[in-house]
Amino acid sequence: MNKFLLLFLCMCLVGCSSTPTMMKEKEQVQMKPRDLQIVALGDSLTEGVGDEQGGYVTFIKQYLESREDVNKVFVHNFGKRGLRSTQLADVMINNESVIQQADLIFITIGGNDMMKVVRSHFLSLTYDLFVKEQQAFASRLDEQLQLLRHMNQDAYIVLIGLYNPFSSAFPNIPEMDEIIHMWNEGSKEVISRYDRTLFVPIADLFEGRDDVLYDDQFHPNKIGYEQMAKRIYEYLQRHQEWIGE
């Protein structure tokens, strides 16, 4: 009987001593850092106009690479100054092979659509003109998100909202803040229809602040882009499903 008791105790000791090791090995497997492929699409904000270092995309790359669960981040930036939503689908189609491999997709779009309204109706601007264009924009955005999902079902898509750089340039449009809000709410509603997506608002980061704008008083400067990137990363941290397995 004593022999059986001794054997039982030995087995228990072996089992207990091996359990922490197995758990540790499991944790190490789970914490193994991975590479990330980023695709950035859109207008001059994605291109980084106003910052020689590449704008918010460069800062996001740095933030992601500082994580323990990320090894290296590879960026494919297709941002183009002046790009409107009517041109975004062509950019995606021309870069489909890269988009298919993306883990994260960042998009800034809509600012030039608004500017088109301003330039086309400079002397007769009304709120209704922006509402009409926003509705058309929302329809195009929906089609473009469908196209992205067709190209890549798993990538986490981040749509970055608009801010108001027009207050000093167009003081004759006092409703511009309301227009920006309306436009952002429409975009937020569209992207919410899709899984693994995120809308990031940035309008408040630029309210009443000249220190975050470039010399043209339209695009962000380095400080402005850094503020954008911090906000984007803050939202990503709240939605950890983007990191995947």
Side-chain angles (χ1 to χ4, degrees):
M1 181 67 70
N2 290 338
K3 290 182 179 180
F4 286 113
L5 180 60
L6 181 61
L7 179 60
F8 175 74
L9 290 173
C10 289
M11 290 176 65
C12 287
L13 289 172
V14 171
C16 291
S17 63
S18 62
T19 300
T21 302
M22 292 173 63
M23 291 178 63
K24 186 174 182 181
E25 289 176 353
K26 185 177 181 181
E27 289 175 0
Q28 289 175 344
V29 171
Q30 292 175 339
M31 288 297 293
K32 184 178 179 180
R34 58 172 295 195
D35 293 340
L36 288 177
Q37 297 285 341
I38 287 181
V39 167
L41 301 166
D43 50 32
S44 55
L45 297 187
T46 290
E47 183 180 344
V49 174
D51 174 27
E52 296 180 356
Q53 302 304 313
Y56 80 87
V57 179
T58 298
F59 285 110
I60 285 291
K61 181 178 187 294
Q62 295 171 0
Y63 296 154
L64 291 174
E65 287 186 335
S66 69
R67 296 173 60 100
E68 292 183 358
D69 52 2
V70 174
N71 182 31
K72 291 199 67 177
V73 176
F74 299 91
V75 173
H76 309 274
N77 192 331
F78 302 117
K80 184 177 180 181
R81 186 170 192 162
L83 193 79
R84 297 195 301 272
S85 62
T86 53
Q87 304 162 310
L88 184 58
D90 288 339
V91 175
M92 292 190 289
I93 292 169
N94 292 335
N95 297 284
E96 181 174 2
S97 61
V98 179
I99 290 173
Q100 288 174 340
Q101 304 302 316
D103 299 298
L104 279 165
I105 299 174
F106 296 98
I107 307 172
T108 61
I109 199 71
N112 292 304
D113 295 75
M114 291 190 63
M115 281 302 299
K116 186 173 183 291
V117 176
V118 173
R119 290 176 179 140
S120 301
H121 306 275
F122 186 75
L123 298 177
S124 57
L125 281 172
T126 64
Y127 186 85
D128 289 342
L129 287 171
F130 288 99
V131 171
K132 182 179 179 180
E133 181 58 31
Q134 189 280 326
Q135 291 171 346
F137 169 81
S139 178
R140 290 191 293 269
L141 179 63
D142 190 41
E143 293 174 356
Q144 290 150 1
L145 289 170
Q146 289 182 42
L147 179 59
L148 274 181
R149 271 292 169 253
H150 175 74
M151 294 179 176
N152 189 324
Q153 296 182 1
D154 302 318
Y156 202 77
I157 302 172
V158 179
L159 178 64
I160 301 156
L162 303 180
Y163 64 94
N164 181 10
F166 305 108
S167 55
S168 59
F170 302 105
N172 59 321
I173 318 175
E175 302 91 352
M176 189 56 75
D177 283 333
E178 185 180 347
I179 292 169
I180 295 289
H181 177 74
M182 175 266 294
W183 204 285
N184 283 332
E185 287 299 304
S187 298
K188 183 178 179 181
E189 192 279 325
V190 171
I191 200 168
S192 69
R193 303 170 193 167
Y194 296 85
D195 293 332
R196 295 182 60 75
T197 60
L198 181 65
F199 178 83
V200 180
I202 61 169
D204 60 301
L205 300 177
F206 294 86
E207 289 179 358
R209 293 187 59 181
D210 294 331
D211 63 312
V212 295
L213 293 178
Y214 184 55
D215 293 341
D216 61 7
Q217 293 300 300
F218 186 87
H219 294 95
N221 57 18
K222 183 177 181 180
I223 298 173
Y225 281 119
E226 186 173 13
Q227 293 297 311
M228 284 177 60
K230 285 181 179 179
R231 172 64 59 81
I232 296 166
Y233 186 58
E234 173 190 331
Y235 270 62
L236 284 174
Q237 286 181 303
R238 298 179 191 174
H239 301 80
Q240 289 290 326
E241 65 268 21
W242 62 270
I243 193 63
E245 299 179 356

